[in-house]
Amino acid sequence: MVRHPPSMIRAVLLDLSGVVYDGDTPIPGAVEAIARLRDAGLPIRFVSNTTRSPRQAIVAQLDGLGIAVSDDELLTPANAAVAWLTAHGCSPHLLVHPDLEPEFSGVQEGGLKAVVVGDAAEAFGYTAMNAAFRQLVDGAEFLALATNRTFKDADGGLSLDAGAFVAALEFAAGKQAIVLGKPSRDFFHAALVGLDCTPGQAVMVGDDAESDVAGALRAGIGLALLVRTGKYRTGDESRYAPHPTAVVDDLEAAVEWVVRKRG
């Protein structure tokens, strides 16, 4: 359901993996679609739930595709976690992918602890999970970089994402995690800071019907488009509420939809 008149579209939020690229390969038409948004004068914010790649690697990957990204155009859960830890005077107990650990190097050690969980891949194991559990039952805060159920892996199939491991720790410790990435309302709203745009005037484009689309609409984002690329599977559009504003083939079709509706 369209919640705002088309003329109210003033910014576009884009997921990355599965929308702009699959692995190291750009999705056909995606680079040109982003250029079209820029030509139309629509501000873009890339809102990624990736918790394996550091920010510098994401920027480099986009640059390699010919997509220049300014510092304020990319928002990741790791950025949000560092800001949260700093604001609350906590030092992290990390259960994340080794490649992501340097993102937390500037956070002050000592004081209160916060368990930070992302997609740790092979680093998930009993010893690591139990160490995080013990921190939680000893009073540590609990931060989840994301709670996605699955992601599209390099072999083209779906693999477990961080959500299952976050849920296991929540169950064992009896403590609910603070979610910092999508579908957190604060994460979507943080992406619009500095723009002359209310949440209701923004459009979200993603391949995850739960975190990207339903999450955005619950956060007050006005419109949310689901693309049939990336992790999308037939029937995703009806699995989670609120349902997508529209379902389109890919980012190129999404941009065509946005430009047409914007008038």
Side-chain angles (χ1 to χ4, degrees), residues 92-112:
H93 175 95
L94 297 176
L95 182 51
V96 300
H97 194 279
D99 289 348
L100 199 68
E101 290 180 2
E103 296 283 274
F104 297 88
S105 60
V107 180
Q108 185 175 351
E109 291 293 329
L112 299 173

Side-chain angles (χ1 to χ4, degrees), residues 6-10 40-42 257-263:
S7 61
M8 295 293 283
I9 296 175
R10 304 189 71 166
L42 276 168
W257 190 98
V258 168
V259 171
R260 185 176 68 251
K261 290 294 183 182
R262 186 186 187 221

